[in-house]
Amino acid sequence: MTTRYQVQLTQDDDIKSAYELLLWDHSHIYFQDYSIAFQDIQEINISMCSMMQMLNILSIYMNYYVDINIITPKEEYAFQIMNHDTLLSFFKTVSSFPIPINDPLHILQLYTDMPDNYARTKYLDRHFKKWAQQYHLDNPRGKCIPTQFSFHKKS
């Protein structure tokens, strides 16, 4: 079983992030001590998961994240992309190479058609449960992520 890493997908190696960085340039993807040449990638599989986020004591909502699996002749790398803002730019770079992309959920088209995160989330709220059953997606993945609460005593 391949370990799936939660990452921030970026081209800026100076960015501050709570997650490890998954960097890319015109020819390579970089993660930790790994350098993956685009020309060595045999296939990329795209999927999704959901995770619960606790907004407050009474409110829990779902966040949706894109999963990508990068397959090379020697290794498979699995990532959960924690940011959405650079996803299409990353796949624009990928598309300049003859890399098969397996995207049965049409996630890239969804991100193209619905660039607004709020509209996309509402769409996913309506459709993700059916997709999760059909494609065996994590719904939800992991434990509920608590939001930090601060309680103040009345004076």
Side-chain angles (χ1 to χ4, degrees), residues 9 22 33 41 51-52 56 71 73 107 124 138 145 150:
L9 183 63
L22 181 63
D33 294 330
I41 297 174
M51 293 181 76
M52 288 190 293
N56 60 43
I71 295 133
I107 293 167
L124 290 168
D138 292 339
I145 305 168
S150 57

Side-chain angles (χ1 to χ4, degrees), residues 6-65:
Q6 292 181 339
V7 296
Q8 172 131 3
L9 183 63
T10 182
Q11 289 186 293
D12 181 2
D13 61 354
D14 289 330
I15 195 166
K16 301 288 186 223
S17 175
Y19 304 101
E20 291 189 73
L21 300 182
L22 181 63
L23 297 158
W24 88 94
D25 61 22
H26 66 283
S27 62
H28 286 79
I29 299 169
Y30 306 97
F31 178 70
Q32 296 177 342
D33 294 330
Y34 297 96
S35 175
I36 308 163
F38 281 112
Q39 66 186 19
D40 294 338
I41 297 174
Q42 293 178 317
E43 177 182 5
I44 295 180
N45 296 318
I46 305 173
S47 185
M48 284 195 111
C49 72
S50 68
M51 293 181 76
M52 288 190 293
Q53 173 84 38
M54 185 183 300
L55 184 59
N56 60 43
I57 292 250
L58 301 174
S59 298
I60 294 176
Y61 64 96
M62 299 302 279
N63 282 332
Y64 302 96
Y65 299 100

Side-chain angles (χ1 to χ4, degrees), residues 57-80:
I57 292 250
L58 301 174
S59 298
I60 294 176
Y61 64 96
M62 299 302 279
N63 282 332
Y64 302 96
Y65 299 100
V66 174
D67 288 338
I68 61 172
N69 287 40
I70 299 170
I71 295 133
T72 68
K74 296 179 181 179
E75 193 81 41
E76 180 173 347
Y77 305 90
F79 303 104
Q80 178 180 328

